Amino acid sequence: MIRSVLPLGFIAASRFFGLFIILPVLSLYALELDGANEFLAGLTIGAYAITQMIFQLPFGSLSDRFGRKFMIFVGLIIFIIGSLICAISTDIYTMLFGRLLQGCGAVGAVATAMISDLVSEDKRSKAMAMMGGMIGIAFAISMILSPLLSREFGLSSLFYLSIIVTIFCIFLLFSAVPKEPKIHHHDPKIPLTKLLKQKDLAIMNLTNLMQKMLMSCAFVAIPIVLVKSLEYSGDNLWIVYLISMIFGFLAMGMAGFLGDGKGHSKKLLLIGVVLFIISFIGFGVANSAVSFIIFVVIFFIGFNIHEPIMQSCASKFAKSNQRGSALGIFNSFGYLGSFLGGAVGGYLLHSYNIMALAVILAVASAIWLLILFQLSDPRIFQIIRLKNADISILDSVNGIVDRYKQNGYSIVKFNSNIISRDEVISILGVSNEELQ
């Protein structure tokens, strides 16, 4: 499993690193570009996300047809071109164009789907948590490096660093990522409209949208409020992010251990939302840099609780024959949230103040919390792995979620709240020796 997950996890994490490393300082530096204001700066933060949203589903669907590795390669090349345009831009509109092009390389869902293809169902939760952890680490490193590098070498240095890391990812893709396995699906694909209406996937889509929207809003607000309103030194922003990431790492480790490992993923998602509500209320009422930074730390604890478990939860609700499409939709909602967060955050700060932003986001998060209570607990889904079993016997059996054949094994996924493991085995008529 590790040989499959590590290179793909690194590619996915590096891709996010290239996007994350800009966020902590872009709202400040973008104001120095020709033609910039707070709204356009916020739009620049979220611009990449609108094209990510548009292209996630096409990339995911094309990867189901033409192969995951090829589509990841295409996406990485597009990201390099967009990063180069950003690096050489001198006005806000060229920067916006480069950020939009960066987002066209939408490989997040494809990488997640490929990990799901390479790793057996019973180990997938650990694999997704590992990838989520690597993305969390990339996030933490980018938060610390961003203000330091931009202060010493300028904003363009962050884009050039992203290009170098992405070139290394292309080398890794063709030298270390295993060959894609052949999977034979038993069940037909369902229409895209029905996929969008599936309750648990829809709730996870909303969760990804809200989490990423709050992140973009936070990155618009944190540097502007601290530096311009609370007179905190911009040169010391890295200290704020370092403290936040230390606590975030601890939260991420706890979430990785208690999430899929102990079956508490849903509870952790709920706890994270509560922390988001507390942090944004705090952003609105904080009257000193110290109190504001305390709520920044609370925000990053909530964010890092979510990060290791969200992809894993979403993958549990997606069928094997449409995993690329389902995760493409999931990631599209996340990037829509990133775009809305940058645009809404920039608009509210430009036209009103931090209090207006805080109240609106706290209320929206409270509604999100109520909806999230309706999510099915991911641990109810269990699998049975058999050698050469006739899984067509399970046609129309209530509680059977997914069936497919991979590497000579038959995989059956079922809802344990509807049908028990023993009942499935009894219907299949297999012996214990045939179970893997």
Side-chain angles (χ1 to χ4, degrees), residues 236-252:
N236 293 330
L237 278 175
W238 69 273
I239 298 175
V240 177
Y241 294 123
L242 175 61
I243 294 171
S244 299
M245 284 301 100
I246 289 173
F247 284 94
F249 266 129
L250 296 174
M252 186 170 62

PDB file of all heavy atoms in Angstrom, residues 236-252:
ATOM      1  N   ASN A 236       6.012  39.546  10.591  1.00  0.00           N
ATOM      2  CA  ASN A 236       5.865  38.499  11.604  1.00  0.00           C
ATOM      3  C   ASN A 236       4.656  37.600  11.380  1.00  0.00           C
ATOM      4  O   ASN A 236       4.282  36.820  12.269  1.00  0.00           O
ATOM      5  CB  ASN A 236       5.772  39.129  12.997  1.00  0.00           C
ATOM      6  CG  ASN A 236       7.071  39.786  13.419  1.00  0.00           C
ATOM      7  OD1 ASN A 236       8.154  39.358  13.008  1.00  0.00           O
ATOM      8  ND2 ASN A 236       6.988  40.833  14.222  1.00  0.00           N
ATOM      9  N   LEU A 237       4.033  37.694  10.199  1.00  0.00           N
ATOM     10  CA  LEU A 237       2.883  36.830   9.920  1.00  0.00           C
ATOM     11  C   LEU A 237       3.251  35.359   9.996  1.00  0.00           C
ATOM     12  O   LEU A 237       2.430  34.518  10.387  1.00  0.00           O
ATOM     13  CB  LEU A 237       2.315  37.154   8.532  1.00  0.00           C
ATOM     14  CG  LEU A 237       1.368  38.348   8.424  1.00  0.00           C
ATOM     15  CD1 LEU A 237       1.005  38.592   6.972  1.00  0.00           C
ATOM     16  CD2 LEU A 237       0.122  38.135   9.260  1.00  0.00           C
ATOM     17  N   TRP A 238       4.484  35.043   9.624  1.00  0.00           N
ATOM     18  CA  TRP A 238       4.901  33.634   9.644  1.00  0.00           C
ATOM     19  C   TRP A 238       4.822  33.058  11.052  1.00  0.00           C
ATOM     20  O   TRP A 238       4.571  31.853  11.224  1.00  0.00           O
ATOM     21  CB  TRP A 238       6.329  33.493   9.091  1.00  0.00           C
ATOM     22  CG  TRP A 238       7.408  34.068   9.962  1.00  0.00           C
ATOM     23  CD1 TRP A 238       7.858  35.346   9.972  1.00  0.00           C
ATOM     24  CD2 TRP A 238       8.150  33.368  10.968  1.00  0.00           C
ATOM     25  NE1 TRP A 238       8.847  35.518  10.909  1.00  0.00           N
ATOM     26  CE2 TRP A 238       9.049  34.310  11.537  1.00  0.00           C
ATOM     27  CE3 TRP A 238       8.166  32.060  11.436  1.00  0.00           C
ATOM     28  CZ2 TRP A 238       9.942  33.962  12.552  1.00  0.00           C
ATOM     29  CZ3 TRP A 238       9.057  31.711  12.446  1.00  0.00           C
ATOM     30  CH2 TRP A 238       9.925  32.661  12.988  1.00  0.00           C
ATOM     31  N   ILE A 239       5.006  33.892  12.061  1.00  0.00           N
ATOM     32  CA  ILE A 239       4.911  33.410  13.447  1.00  0.00           C
ATOM     33  C   ILE A 239       3.479  32.974  13.756  1.00  0.00           C
ATOM     34  O   ILE A 239       3.245  31.936  14.403  1.00  0.00           O
ATOM     35  CB  ILE A 239       5.367  34.509  14.431  1.00  0.00           C
ATOM     36  CG1 ILE A 239       6.835  34.877  14.173  1.00  0.00           C
ATOM     37  CG2 ILE A 239       5.173  34.049  15.876  1.00  0.00           C
ATOM     38  CD1 ILE A 239       7.332  36.044  15.018  1.00  0.00           C
ATOM     39  N   VAL A 240       2.511  33.767  13.280  1.00  0.00           N
ATOM     40  CA  VAL A 240       1.098  33.427  13.481  1.00  0.00           C
ATOM     41  C   VAL A 240       0.782  32.080  12.842  1.00  0.00           C
ATOM     42  O   VAL A 240       0.157  31.205  13.456  1.00  0.00           O
ATOM     43  CB  VAL A 240       0.186  34.513  12.882  1.00  0.00           C
ATOM     44  CG1 VAL A 240      -1.291  34.130  13.030  1.00  0.00           C
ATOM     45  CG2 VAL A 240       0.460  35.856  13.542  1.00  0.00           C
ATOM     46  N   TYR A 241       1.246  31.894  11.601  1.00  0.00           N
ATOM     47  CA  TYR A 241       0.972  30.644  10.893  1.00  0.00           C
ATOM     48  C   TYR A 241       1.741  29.468  11.506  1.00  0.00           C
ATOM     49  O   TYR A 241       1.235  28.345  11.532  1.00  0.00           O
ATOM     50  CB  TYR A 241       1.299  30.796   9.409  1.00  0.00           C
ATOM     51  CG  TYR A 241       0.391  31.770   8.692  1.00  0.00           C
ATOM     52  CD1 TYR A 241       0.911  32.870   8.018  1.00  0.00           C
ATOM     53  CD2 TYR A 241      -0.984  31.601   8.712  1.00  0.00           C
ATOM     54  CE1 TYR A 241       0.077  33.776   7.368  1.00  0.00           C
ATOM     55  CE2 TYR A 241      -1.828  32.494   8.062  1.00  0.00           C
ATOM     56  CZ  TYR A 241      -1.291  33.578   7.399  1.00  0.00           C
ATOM     57  OH  TYR A 241      -2.121  34.470   6.769  1.00  0.00           O
ATOM     58  N   LEU A 242       2.938  29.715  11.997  1.00  0.00           N
ATOM     59  CA  LEU A 242       3.710  28.648  12.633  1.00  0.00           C
ATOM     60  C   LEU A 242       3.004  28.144  13.897  1.00  0.00           C
ATOM     61  O   LEU A 242       2.851  26.933  14.096  1.00  0.00           O
ATOM     62  CB  LEU A 242       5.113  29.135  12.978  1.00  0.00           C
ATOM     63  CG  LEU A 242       6.007  28.149  13.753  1.00  0.00           C
ATOM     64  CD1 LEU A 242       6.228  26.878  12.941  1.00  0.00           C
ATOM     65  CD2 LEU A 242       7.342  28.794  14.113  1.00  0.00           C
ATOM     66  N   ILE A 243       2.573  29.081  14.744  1.00  0.00           N
ATOM     67  CA  ILE A 243       1.849  28.687  15.966  1.00  0.00           C
ATOM     68  C   ILE A 243       0.581  27.927  15.603  1.00  0.00           C
ATOM     69  O   ILE A 243       0.265  26.880  16.197  1.00  0.00           O
ATOM     70  CB  ILE A 243       1.513  29.936  16.803  1.00  0.00           C
ATOM     71  CG1 ILE A 243       2.787  30.594  17.326  1.00  0.00           C
ATOM     72  CG2 ILE A 243       0.597  29.564  17.970  1.00  0.00           C
ATOM     73  CD1 ILE A 243       2.558  31.949  17.975  1.00  0.00           C
ATOM     74  N   SER A 244      -0.136  28.433  14.607  1.00  0.00           N
ATOM     75  CA  SER A 244      -1.378  27.783  14.185  1.00  0.00           C
ATOM     76  C   SER A 244      -1.127  26.381  13.664  1.00  0.00           C
ATOM     77  O   SER A 244      -1.892  25.449  13.945  1.00  0.00           O
ATOM     78  CB  SER A 244      -2.059  28.627  13.099  1.00  0.00           C
ATOM     79  OG  SER A 244      -2.378  29.911  13.580  1.00  0.00           O
ATOM     80  N   MET A 245      -0.037  26.216  12.924  1.00  0.00           N
ATOM     81  CA  MET A 245       0.254  24.911  12.341  1.00  0.00           C
ATOM     82  C   MET A 245       0.735  23.908  13.381  1.00  0.00           C
ATOM     83  O   MET A 245       0.509  22.705  13.231  1.00  0.00           O
ATOM     84  CB  MET A 245       1.287  25.058  11.222  1.00  0.00           C
ATOM     85  CG  MET A 245       0.728  25.619   9.940  1.00  0.00           C
ATOM     86  SD  MET A 245      -0.614  24.589   9.254  1.00  0.00           S
ATOM     87  CE  MET A 245      -2.054  25.507   9.781  1.00  0.00           C
ATOM     88  N   ILE A 246       1.391  24.365  14.411  1.00  0.00           N
ATOM     89  CA  ILE A 246       1.798  23.444  15.484  1.00  0.00           C
ATOM     90  C   ILE A 246       0.558  22.820  16.121  1.00  0.00           C
ATOM     91  O   ILE A 246       0.459  21.596  16.276  1.00  0.00           O
ATOM     92  CB  ILE A 246       2.649  24.181  16.539  1.00  0.00           C
ATOM     93  CG1 ILE A 246       4.013  24.529  15.964  1.00  0.00           C
ATOM     94  CG2 ILE A 246       2.824  23.298  17.791  1.00  0.00           C
ATOM     95  CD1 ILE A 246       4.865  25.411  16.863  1.00  0.00           C
ATOM     96  N   PHE A 247      -0.399  23.670  16.461  1.00  0.00           N
ATOM     97  CA  PHE A 247      -1.650  23.150  17.014  1.00  0.00           C
ATOM     98  C   PHE A 247      -2.430  22.357  15.967  1.00  0.00           C
ATOM     99  O   PHE A 247      -3.078  21.356  16.278  1.00  0.00           O
ATOM    100  CB  PHE A 247      -2.502  24.310  17.551  1.00  0.00           C
ATOM    101  CG  PHE A 247      -2.031  24.849  18.868  1.00  0.00           C
ATOM    102  CD1 PHE A 247      -1.172  25.936  18.921  1.00  0.00           C
ATOM    103  CD2 PHE A 247      -2.440  24.257  20.057  1.00  0.00           C
ATOM    104  CE1 PHE A 247      -0.731  26.441  20.139  1.00  0.00           C
ATOM    105  CE2 PHE A 247      -2.002  24.748  21.279  1.00  0.00           C
ATOM    106  CZ  PHE A 247      -1.150  25.839  21.327  1.00  0.00           C
ATOM    107  N   GLY A 248      -2.343  22.818  14.711  1.00  0.00           N
ATOM    108  CA  GLY A 248      -3.017  22.105  13.632  1.00  0.00           C
ATOM    109  C   GLY A 248      -2.469  20.705  13.423  1.00  0.00           C
ATOM    110  O   GLY A 248      -3.219  19.759  13.190  1.00  0.00           O
ATOM    111  N   PHE A 249      -1.130  20.551  13.522  1.00  0.00           N
ATOM    112  CA  PHE A 249      -0.517  19.229  13.404  1.00  0.00           C
ATOM    113  C   PHE A 249      -1.020  18.284  14.487  1.00  0.00           C
ATOM    114  O   PHE A 249      -1.315  17.104  14.224  1.00  0.00           O
ATOM    115  CB  PHE A 249       1.007  19.343  13.514  1.00  0.00           C
ATOM    116  CG  PHE A 249       1.700  19.452  12.194  1.00  0.00           C
ATOM    117  CD1 PHE A 249       2.613  20.469  11.953  1.00  0.00           C
ATOM    118  CD2 PHE A 249       1.451  18.537  11.190  1.00  0.00           C
ATOM    119  CE1 PHE A 249       3.261  20.576  10.728  1.00  0.00           C
ATOM    120  CE2 PHE A 249       2.086  18.633   9.964  1.00  0.00           C
ATOM    121  CZ  PHE A 249       2.990  19.661   9.738  1.00  0.00           C
ATOM    122  N   LEU A 250      -1.097  18.788  15.692  1.00  0.00           N
ATOM    123  CA  LEU A 250      -1.600  17.957  16.793  1.00  0.00           C
ATOM    124  C   LEU A 250      -3.036  17.530  16.523  1.00  0.00           C
ATOM    125  O   LEU A 250      -3.408  16.360  16.740  1.00  0.00           O
ATOM    126  CB  LEU A 250      -1.509  18.728  18.111  1.00  0.00           C
ATOM    127  CG  LEU A 250      -0.098  19.087  18.590  1.00  0.00           C
ATOM    128  CD1 LEU A 250      -0.163  19.973  19.831  1.00  0.00           C
ATOM    129  CD2 LEU A 250       0.710  17.816  18.894  1.00  0.00           C
ATOM    130  N   ALA A 251      -3.846  18.468  16.039  1.00  0.00           N
ATOM    131  CA  ALA A 251      -5.238  18.151  15.724  1.00  0.00           C
ATOM    132  C   ALA A 251      -5.333  17.157  14.573  1.00  0.00           C
ATOM    133  O   ALA A 251      -6.167  16.238  14.593  1.00  0.00           O
ATOM    134  CB  ALA A 251      -5.989  19.435  15.372  1.00  0.00           C
ATOM    135  N   MET A 252      -4.471  17.316  13.569  1.00  0.00           N
ATOM    136  CA  MET A 252      -4.489  16.420  12.424  1.00  0.00           C
ATOM    137  C   MET A 252      -4.095  15.002  12.827  1.00  0.00           C
ATOM    138  O   MET A 252      -4.700  14.023  12.374  1.00  0.00           O
ATOM    139  CB  MET A 252      -3.549  16.937  11.344  1.00  0.00           C
ATOM    140  CG  MET A 252      -3.595  16.155  10.038  1.00  0.00           C
ATOM    141  SD  MET A 252      -2.676  16.995   8.715  1.00  0.00           S
ATOM    142  CE  MET A 252      -1.025  17.007   9.396  1.00  0.00           C
TER     143      MET A 252
END
